[in-house]
Amino acid sequence: MASVMHHLVSRGLEAVQQHHQENPEQTLGPFRVPAWGFVLVGLTTVLYLAISLGIRYTYAELIGTLTMIEDPSTTIILCTSEADAPLPSAVESEKGPVLEQEVLLVKSKPITAKFRTTIAHLRAHGGFLSRFRGAHVLVAYYLAYHLMCSFLFRLVPHTLGYRAIITVATSTILCRLNATWTHIVISEASEKRFFQRVPARTSFRKLAGPTFLNAVAKQVVFLGLVEMFTTFGLQPYVADLSKLGELSDAERLNVWFHSFIVLTTAILAGVFVIIPTHVALKRVQASLLPEDDESIVPFDRTFNGKVVPEILGGSGRVGMAEAWKSFDWNGRVRLFKVYAKVAAMQGALFMLFTIVVAGEVRVILGDQLDKIVMAATRGAR
């Protein structure tokens, strides 16, 4: 979002400057933006970013992770009733009347079925700030991740291939720290500090594989989309949207068609490649939750009986295929709904932010705004 705003503002100022150079007689004259105007727009932007990050963390990251690992529990109810019979002598025995039993399997409604119920559940397990549980660990993870990547990027050629390799390697090296965040998010509050909850070193061999595959999937998708973008020749129009106006109708239609192909490919790759590997990784991380830590949502550590956890004397090993297959269709639908709702919330927030900032700019610049827009429009032509 920030890059888009920066691009639009830059293009507008460039157009105004070019128009003034070509038409000095139509100059706007000097004007100044008051200091309070910069402060107002700056505070609004900071508020927008804070709310946007809060939405992403609480609903996409936290609730999304809980949705990935939740396995709704099933309750067995035995219903006992006396057998109906017209002849008492036929159904009476020396020990009493004959009883019939019916077994009812009742599957409880998932906690993560709705945002409201999930937030209420989180508050019950940690108060109001529970919606930000584990945020400090995620900040520590991303800080370590970016510092390590920034350092290693300087040691290799500046190509996407080398950067992808470093990104995958860094994610794999920090897999235990990432699992720590997952454990804190999905379990009851603990008096231990987060570094005391880092999984044991022996867990690295169980986490490294799924983390590596998830990171590789992301990089393969990213590099594939970049290759499509380059092959279709779309870079010039992203760098300068005004170049679309220089194309004929047929050429412009061709650009939009190729852009649609790239967008569709990105969505399909996210649904069928990135999300499955990410879900599998989170479920593998959750399966390594220590015995003395209780999950706040129902979670089957046996993956439908295919895995014997270490706490029960088994190896606890689980492959990504088993982790993904054990995530039933109802859970997948809930997860896609979570992402769809988050996208809608972020879109609505961005529209509100745009309207508010536009109103603030109108108040700050007054009539000068109309002249700037008119000059920018002439310059773009």
Side-chain angles (χ1 to χ4, degrees), residues 21-58:
Q21 293 174 350
E22 297 175 355
N23 305 275
E25 72 283 357
Q26 298 181 7
T27 182
L28 295 175
F31 69 93
R32 297 179 59 186
V33 178
W36 63 267
F38 286 107
V39 174
L40 180 61
V41 175
L43 290 177
T44 303
T45 303
V46 171
L47 179 61
Y48 163 76
L49 293 176
I51 297 175
S52 178
L53 288 175
I55 290 175
R56 177 178 176 179
Y57 183 82
T58 299

Side-chain angles (χ1 to χ4, degrees), residues 163-351:
R163 287 176 174 265
I165 294 173
I166 290 176
T167 299
V168 172
T170 303
S171 298
T172 305
I173 292 172
L174 297 176
C175 64
R176 291 168 59 215
L177 184 57
N178 186 270
T180 304
W181 176 81
T182 301
H183 289 177
I184 291 176
V185 163
I186 68 173
S187 63
E188 298 283 358
S190 173
E191 296 181 355
K192 298 179 181 178
R193 296 187 179 275
F194 87 87
F195 55 82
Q196 295 176 315
R197 302 190 64 179
V198 175
R201 293 181 180 179
T202 55
S203 65
F204 179 83
R205 54 191 174 87
K206 299 177 182 178
L207 294 169
T211 304
F212 175 81
L213 292 177
N214 178 239
V216 168
K218 292 179 180 179
Q219 293 304 312
V220 167
V221 170
F222 172 73
L223 294 177
L225 293 175
V226 170
E227 183 64 26
M228 291 180 62
F229 214 79
T230 304
T231 302
F232 291 149
L234 299 177
Q235 310 98 306
Y237 309 108
V238 174
D240 188 355
L241 294 176
S242 64
K243 289 187 177 181
L244 287 172
E246 303 173 0
L247 302 177
S248 64
D249 292 340
E251 292 173 333
R252 192 180 302 111
L253 181 61
N254 189 53
V255 170
W256 286 116
F257 177 69
H258 286 158
S259 301
F260 175 77
I261 292 177
V262 174
L263 178 61
T264 303
T265 303
I267 295 175
L268 293 177
V271 171
F272 294 105
V273 179
I274 295 179
I275 290 181
T277 57
H278 185 64
V279 170
L281 172 61
K282 290 301 172 183
R283 291 178 68 82
V284 170
Q285 291 175 343
S287 69
L288 298 177
L289 186 68
E291 181 181 2
D292 55 348
D293 290 333
E294 188 68 26
S295 174
I296 63 174
V297 294
F299 176 64
D300 181 14
R301 302 190 189 212
T302 68
F303 294 91
N304 294 329
K306 296 181 180 179
V307 178
V308 180
E310 289 183 340
I311 61 176
L312 299 179
S315 64
R317 288 182 175 275
V318 57
M320 293 191 73
E322 289 81 3
W324 169 247
K325 290 179 181 179
S326 62
F327 188 52
D328 61 18
W329 277 104
N330 292 329
R332 299 176 190 180
V333 171
R334 291 199 311 274
L335 182 61
F336 290 137
K337 286 182 178 179
V338 167
Y339 289 148
K341 291 177 182 178
V342 171
M345 294 169 68
Q346 294 283 23
L349 179 63
F350 177 71
M351 292 179 62

Side-chain angles (χ1 to χ4, degrees), residues 134-151:
H136 60 295
V137 181
L138 195 62
V139 170
Y141 170 77
Y142 279 123
L143 181 61
Y145 175 86
H146 287 295
L147 288 176
M148 187 176 296
C149 285
S150 299
F151 172 75

